[in-house]
Every structure is written in structure tokens, then in C-alpha cells.
Amino acid sequence: MQPKNSNRIDAIIKRSPLVIAGVYLIFSSIWIVYSDSWVLNFYDEPEAITKIQTYKGWFFVSLSSIVIYLLILSSNQTILKYFKNKLRVENIYEATFDQAAVGIVHHDEKYNWMRFNEKFSDMLQYSKSELMNLSIEDLVHPDDLDYGKELDQKVLDGELNSYQIEKRYRRKDDSIMHVLLSKTIAKDTDNQYMFFVSVLKDITYLKQIESKLEDFNSQLELQVEERTKQLEAINDELESFSYSVSHDLRSPLRAISGYSNLLIEDHQDVINSEGKEFLDIIKSEVSRMGHLIDDLLAFSKLSRTGMQFVEFSMDDLVQKCIEEVTRVSSNKVVHFDVDKLGIVNGDPNLLKQVWINLLSNAVKYHRKNVHPEIKISSIEDVENQQIIYTIKDNGVGFDMKYSDKLFGVFQRLHSDAEFEGTGIGLALVKRIINRHKGEVWAESEPGVGSVFYFSIPNKNKHN
Amino acid sequence: MAQLDILLCEDNKLDADLTIRALKKHNVTNNIVWVKDGEETLDYLFRRGQYSNSSAIHTPKVILLDLKMPKIDGLTVLKEIRAHEDTKIIPVVIMTSSQEESDIAESYDLGANSYIVKPVDFQKFMDSVAEVGLYWMLHNRPPKTLKSENS
């Protein structure tokens, strides 16, 4: 079937008569010219010469017959071999065509069937004869018809060698079959168009799985949405619970505080010094609980307030916070070292709370007789598209094995006697940073100092 | 009793007691009426229910109003006060435990004159009650209509 082979056969068929005639001409000429003079070398009697020439003539005829026979035999064998081979290839092709697990169709440019295999008619649920009387318009889904024809034209025009598309066919029972179609054209030995070759693979099952998967996905999304709503509702409930708890707790606390004060102020003559001491303890504990409730309130309030995202200068904000923190702890000598921090996109009011908490912590948890030295810097984390801010102090530090407790609500790593506090500050920081879609973490070594890090995404979008 | 300085609307007995003590202790006033819920507040102001036959009813110089009260809550009471000709110009100071932004916004929206969050700390509580009392009793100048009715 290869053009190279068929060209050779062409040449053999065209040339072999000429070759045979040529060889015969040369052979007989040599014979005529030399055989007589050769005979005269041995014989001189005319009678003997005549006799010898007769034998010579027979000999010549026999020899030339053998030569011609061999020549024709050899050329015929080459031709025979070629056709046998061709037949074999065709048989293989035929078998492949009929046994293929895909539909194969040959058709001309006017969409007349030239040939199709059994698989193709089976796929469409028609018999071969039924299919012969149907046109492509009867089989291809109307929406897919024009597109396919456009592509065929491109192949004909030589703009495309072949193409592969997904296409819908209508089966005999009117159901839709999804097909992956590969199409190209068969060419003759002169590289000219002969017919279209279509190979069709039934992908209906895949399509069904695909749409099922899509269904599952959308169902899953619905489920996630529903669960999120439920979670949000639970969250709201929790928030309002924590709000009303802290709200209602204030009232009895105020009464305890009020009446213990009234006892001290109005009835001091009947209370001894130990009683007064107890009342003072009650008072201070009440005030501590008041702070805890206030912090809890602030914390629950934080998740309920909306965020206002703006671009602003972190340098200005940090400067303000440093001034505020310095004012509150004016009795301490604190050294601040601030790098350039740049512009950030976030809620300045909330981020102010972050800085105030982290900076006042850095000041508060200082070592005895060591002036707090606080270094503030930032680096851009290009890979994760965020800015990481760093607050490094030389304070008391903490044991890293408790670092998971650091950002929990009401979790403390120091006693009230060492450092006062309610343990809400870092929980607040974590919540604010998380609401900015950032992270907060810390490293520390006891007696050396701590480093707090928090990240803010570069392109923070309002949520 | 020709006039009334303060109408105290507070459902919590102890809070009410502490408030009255604070006002007395700072010599702001002794002339206080305590009503224990929203319904009673409105009954008092509009002379209804248990106050319908009472002759000793006077328009207060200032109303201290709690928000969370049984029956009728503080915001509804405030709405009623502002809706009536006779009571709409009486200064109303919200005194509550609620720090909710929405409560604060709604109170001012309904015409509250001031919003005070009751501190837990007794000393701060005493101070703020006294300040509120002093401001509205002594420093604030009400319009003539309110004055004439009180005098």
C-alpha cells in the first residue's frame, strides 16, 4: 500500500517487456555475428556446415527460450509478491475496520457514505441497510451539525490536517450519544484528497459520570452552604450568649461592689480591721471580674463589628501606638527602634488594637532592671503575597512549650502577681489578624526575649 | 411635694437603691420617685393604672431610664415619652449595662438626651450618677414650658 512500493511495481510492469526484448536482441545479435565464424573454425565442408548450422539454430531457439522464461519468471514473481503483500495488508485493515471498538466511517465531501464498520451502526442502533438510507443530518444533533461541517471544510481547504471534537449523535431510539470524533482525510499516492475518515468513540458513559459529578459537586456546595449557615447561626447564638452573660453578670457585680463599699464607708465603726481587709479583697476581686467581663465583651463585640478596609500608612499608625503606649507607661524608660513599614490594606482601628496590645505586652513583660528595647520591622513575603511584621523585645520571654496557649482566650503564661492581666489581649490580636486573613505567631526564649510576628496579605479584599 | 426632680426607672432593686444612695450622698437631691418597670413608668407619667387617682404626680426634671426592663422595655418607654405633647421635652438619660452600639444608636435616634453605661466599680458608679444628677438638675436650663409646669 505504500506509494514507494507501488511505484516500483509500476516501473517493473512498464519496463519488463522492453528489458526482455532488449536482452533477446543483444543475445541474438551476438549469436548471429559470432556463431557462424566460430563454426567455420572447425568445419570447412559445406555439408557439415549446413548440418551444424541446423543444430546451432535449434540450440539458439532453446537457449533464448530459457532466457526469456527466466526473465519473465523473475519479473512476475516480483509483481506477485507485491500483490500478495497488498492483499495481506488489506486483510489486516479489513479485520481492523470490522473489529474496531470504535466506529469508523468513510464518506465523501457531500456526506455520502462510502463505508462504515459494524461498530458504527451498532452504536447508533441501526442495521447496516437502515443506515445506508440515512444522511448525516438524520444522525448528528442539529446543534452540532454546522460546526462539524465548518471544520470539514477547513480540512478540505488544507487549513487543518485533522481535528478532534466532542459531538452529539441521535440514536435510533432518539437518545443522545456523546461521541469523541477524530477526523482526517485519506489521500491517494499523488497526495490528493480521496475521502473523509472519521473515527468515533462513544463517550456517553463518561459524559453521564461527568454530569453526575457536577451534580454531586453542586449538591456538596449546597451542603457546605447550609452547614456554613448553621455554623454561622450557632456562632451568632454563642456571640449573643457571651454578650448577654457578660451583660447580666455586671449587675450583681455592681451590687457586690456597691454594698461592700457602703459597708466600709457607712459602718466602719462596727467592722474590725480584718473585716475591712476582707472587704478590700472583695472589692479588688470584683474589679478584676469587671475587667474580665469587659474584655470578654470587647472580644465578642469584635467578631460582630464590620471591617472597614482602607489603604493607610503602617508607619503612622505604629507611631501613634508607640506614643499611646509610652504615655501609659511613662514611668518606664523604653527604647523603640522602628524600620520603614510601608502601606497596608486593612482596618486601621482594628490593627491599632493589635499594635497597642503587642507593644504594651513588649513593655509590660520586661525583665527587672533591664530597660525594654523593642524593635519593629517588616518584610515582604513575595511567595505568599503578604507582609510579615515583627515585634522583637528583650523581655522575660516564655517557654515555647506553652506557645499554643499564648493566643487562647483568658490563657495566661504569667501569674497576676508577676504581671497583671486578663489574658484577652493576644486572643484579640489573633482574632483581628485572622479577620484580615493573616496569621500571628511567636518565638521566645525565657530570660532573653520574645519575637511576635503577624502577617497581612498584600491584596486584602473586603470580606 | 410641689415638684419632682428625678424619675428613676429601674427594674433592679439594688441598682435603684445604689442610685438613690449615690444621689443623696452627693447631695444632689432627695426628691426621687422610683418606678420598677416600663409599664409603671408610663402609668406614672400619664396618670394611669395605680397612679390614675393620685394627686401627687409631677412632671420630673429628668428621667433616668434603664433599657432592659420587664413588660415594657426602655426603648418603648422612650418612644412613648417622645410621642406625647406633655412629656416630649423631658430630658431622658439612658442608664444601662448595655454597651451595644445598636442600643446606643437607637436610644439617640429615639431622642435620648444622654447615654450612660453603668460602671461595675462602685466609686465610678457613684461618681457618674452624681455627675448626671448634678448636670441635669443644676446646670441644664430647660425651656420655659417645662419650668413653669414644675414651679
Side-chain angles (χ1 to χ4, degrees):
Chain A
M1 286 284 271
Q2 292 154 335
K4 201 182 154 196
N5 255 348
S6 76
N7 285 346
R8 197 164 72 88
I9 294 305
D10 269 7
I12 288 171
I13 290 171
K14 279 177 190 158
R15 239 185 312 135
S16 58
L18 194 71
V19 169
I20 293 164
V23 169
Y24 179 75
L25 181 74
I26 293 163
F27 178 72
S28 50
S29 308
I30 291 169
W31 186 269
I32 289 164
V33 173
Y34 292 104
S35 64
D36 284 351
S37 55
W38 181 72
V39 167
L40 292 176
N41 282 340
F42 301 97
Y43 304 95
D44 37 13
E45 302 153 42
E47 208 174 301
I49 288 172
T50 310
K51 211 173 182 179
I52 286 294
Q53 272 178 334
T54 307
Y55 293 141
K56 188 167 64 80
W58 279 112
F59 181 72
F60 170 76
V61 171
S62 322
L63 201 63
S64 60
S65 299
I66 291 168
V67 170
I68 287 167
Y69 167 76
L70 285 175
L71 281 172
I72 291 173
L73 187 70
S74 133
S75 85
N76 275 1
Q77 259 171 353
T78 314
I79 292 163
L80 197 66
K81 198 175 147 201
Y82 165 75
F83 280 108
K84 266 191 180 165
N85 193 41
K86 191 177 169 176
L87 201 65
R88 197 175 62 92
V89 169
E90 256 172 27
N91 282 342
I92 291 172
Y93 172 70
E94 199 84 3
T96 312
F97 192 85
D98 286 335
Q99 293 302 309
V102 288
I104 303 173
V105 180
H106 296 173
H107 66 78
D108 66 13
E109 69 278 10
K110 294 196 172 79
Y111 298 99
N112 296 312
W113 305 124
M114 297 172 69
R115 196 177 183 187
F116 51 79
N117 65 356
E118 245 179 78
K119 178 71 188 177
F120 181 64
S121 51
D122 284 354
M123 276 160 73
L124 291 162
Q125 300 167 340
Y126 289 105
S127 69
K128 253 187 162 172
S129 52
E130 282 174 325
L131 201 55
M132 290 303 283
N133 297 317
L134 294 171
S135 72
I136 186 162
E137 277 87 0
D138 300 320
L139 299 173
V140 174
H141 191 282
D143 293 351
D144 294 352
L145 205 57
D146 291 343
Y147 181 53
K149 287 184 172 175
E150 264 171 45
L151 287 168
D152 287 346
Q153 193 56 47
K154 281 190 179 166
V155 176
L156 267 184
D157 295 346
E159 284 175 48
L160 284 175
N161 272 331
S162 63
Y163 65 85
Q164 194 170 60
I165 53 167
E166 281 181 16
K167 213 171 171 177
R168 283 164 298 171
Y169 279 72
R170 264 197 311 230
R171 296 197 190 97
K172 191 179 177 181
D173 67 0
D174 224 29
S175 60
I176 296 289
M177 172 174 67
H178 291 268
V179 151
L180 184 67
L181 167 72
S182 307
K183 206 169 218 183
T184 186
I185 48 176
K187 292 173 179 174
D188 62 14
T189 49
D190 296 327
N191 218 22
Q192 290 305 304
Y193 155 84
M194 292 198 298
F195 51 81
F196 280 99
V197 179
S198 307
V199 177
L200 303 98
K201 185 174 165 52
D202 186 349
I203 54 165
T204 314
Y205 183 58
L206 281 177
K207 280 280 159 187
Q208 280 166 353
I209 292 175
E210 206 177 283
S211 85
K212 252 187 207 164
L213 209 63
E214 266 165 36
D215 284 353
F216 279 140
N217 262 337
S218 56
Q219 223 175 317
L220 201 67
E221 262 164 44
L222 277 178
Q223 258 179 16
V224 168
E225 218 170 277
E226 202 179 306
R227 291 282 148 80
T228 312
K229 263 187 205 159
Q230 283 172 355
L231 269 177
E232 274 169 0
I234 291 170
N235 213 24
D236 282 353
E237 228 167 82
L238 263 175
E239 299 291 351
S240 75
F241 174 75
S242 85
Y243 174 75
S244 75
V245 162
S246 38
H247 191 249
D248 291 348
L249 280 176
R250 292 164 71 95
S251 196
L253 216 52
R254 193 160 45 242
I256 298 169
S257 164
Y259 288 100
S260 27
N261 261 289
L262 287 173
L263 258 183
I264 297 170
E265 283 177 17
D266 299 348
H267 304 275
Q268 35 185 321
D269 46 326
V270 292
I271 302 168
N272 62 17
S273 63
E274 198 184 29
K276 269 183 210 143
E277 215 176 281
F278 291 169
L279 283 168
D280 280 338
I281 292 170
I282 292 173
K283 264 171 68 184
S284 85
E285 286 306 291
V286 163
S287 116
R288 198 161 77 88
M289 184 144 178
H291 282 130
L292 284 170
I293 291 170
D294 283 349
D295 284 349
L296 193 61
L297 258 177
F299 189 67
S300 87
K301 218 171 174 177
L302 178 65
S303 7
R304 289 179 292 130
T305 42
M307 308 248 288
Q308 303 288 329
F309 274 83
V310 283
E311 277 199 352
F312 64 94
S313 157
M314 200 61 128
D315 302 280
D316 293 352
L317 181 72
V318 169
Q319 208 46 54
K320 262 187 238 162
C321 293
I322 288 175
E323 280 162 24
E324 204 164 301
V325 170
T326 318
R327 196 166 51 241
V328 174
S329 56
S330 52
N331 54 336
K332 287 175 187 162
V333 181
V334 186
H335 179 71
F336 287 98
D337 177 7
V338 189
D339 277 359
K340 180 113 185 77
L341 302 174
I343 303 293
V344 70
N345 193 353
D347 185 319
N349 287 323
L350 292 180
L351 288 177
K352 186 180 172 189
Q353 291 189 50
V354 169
W355 283 109
I356 294 279
N357 269 299
L358 292 178
L359 293 176
S360 51
N361 275 356
V363 173
K364 181 161 87 178
Y365 295 99
H366 73 99
R367 279 175 286 160
K368 265 181 193 158
N369 307 322
V370 179
H371 292 311
E373 276 178 28
I374 300 165
K375 169 136 183 67
I376 299 161
S377 56
S378 74
I379 46 161
E380 196 176 342
D381 176 3
V382 180
E383 195 186 327
N384 297 312
Q385 297 189 314
Q386 58 182 7
I387 307 168
I388 297 170
Y389 299 92
T390 313
I391 301 96
K392 187 175 189 291
D393 66 47
N394 60 340
V396 290
F398 59 88
D399 193 332
M400 280 300 279
K401 74 177 166 193
Y402 300 119
S403 62
D404 56 324
K405 287 193 170 179
L406 209 54
F407 297 99
V409 182
F410 294 141
Q411 296 279 5
R412 298 211 61 204
L413 300 187
H414 299 277
S415 69
D416 251 15
E418 289 175 284
F419 298 101
E420 267 190 12
T422 58
I424 203 84
L426 289 179
L428 215 67
V429 165
K430 185 177 162 64
R431 191 164 266 203
I432 292 172
I433 295 304
N434 287 352
R435 285 195 74 187
H436 280 82
K437 308 242 185 295
E439 305 258 353
V440 58
W441 67 99
E443 285 163 9
S444 186
E445 200 180 318
V448 178
S450 312
V451 192
F452 280 82
Y453 304 88
F454 69 88
S455 63
I456 302 280
N458 276 341
K459 283 175 191 156
N460 231 330
K461 293 222 170 68
H462 182 80
N463 59 342
Chain B
M1 205 157 65
Q3 56 181 331
L4 176 65
D5 284 338
I6 294 175
L7 180 67
L8 174 65
C9 322
E10 169 67 68
D11 66 312
N12 186 317
K13 205 177 96 187
L14 297 180
D15 269 1
D17 181 45
L18 285 173
T19 307
I20 293 166
R21 280 176 192 276
L23 290 168
K24 285 182 181 166
K25 212 175 186 109
H26 285 79
N27 297 320
V28 180
T29 179
N30 284 323
N31 192 2
I32 307 162
V33 167
W34 169 42
V35 282
K36 62 186 183 312
D37 60 48
E39 194 181 62
E40 202 187 331
T41 308
L42 294 176
D43 283 351
Y44 181 90
L45 286 170
F46 301 122
R47 281 149 219 203
R48 299 187 305 215
Q50 55 172 306
Y51 295 101
S52 56
N53 298 318
S54 176
S55 53
I57 299 280
H58 299 282
T59 310
K61 280 186 185 167
V62 60
I63 298 171
L64 301 184
L65 183 63
D66 191 12
L67 286 186
K68 240 177 103 182
M69 289 190 294
K71 295 183 196 171
I72 301 173
D73 69 29
L75 290 173
T76 314
V77 170
L78 178 58
K79 214 186 286 176
E80 290 279 313
I81 290 171
R82 287 296 176 250
H84 277 79
E85 235 4 80
D86 298 345
T87 53
K88 70 176 184 189
I89 57 164
I90 305 173
V92 174
V93 175
I94 306 290
M95 283 200 81
T96 178
S97 300
S98 168
Q99 301 185 18
E100 274 285 81
E101 281 302 325
S102 59
D103 283 344
I104 297 171
E106 208 173 337
S107 298
Y108 278 112
D109 198 40
L110 291 172
N113 298 72
S114 192
Y115 191 105
I116 312 284
V117 178
K118 288 186 262 188
V120 167
D121 185 85
F122 177 70
Q123 209 49 55
K124 284 183 194 153
F125 179 73
M126 293 292 261
D127 290 347
S128 57
V129 169
E131 272 168 36
V132 167
L134 278 173
Y135 174 78
W136 289 104
M137 300 300 310
L138 300 177
H139 301 311
N140 186 46
R141 248 190 76 108
K144 283 231 167 82
T145 46
L146 190 62
K147 247 187 182 171
S148 61
E149 199 175 321
N150 283 333
S151 53

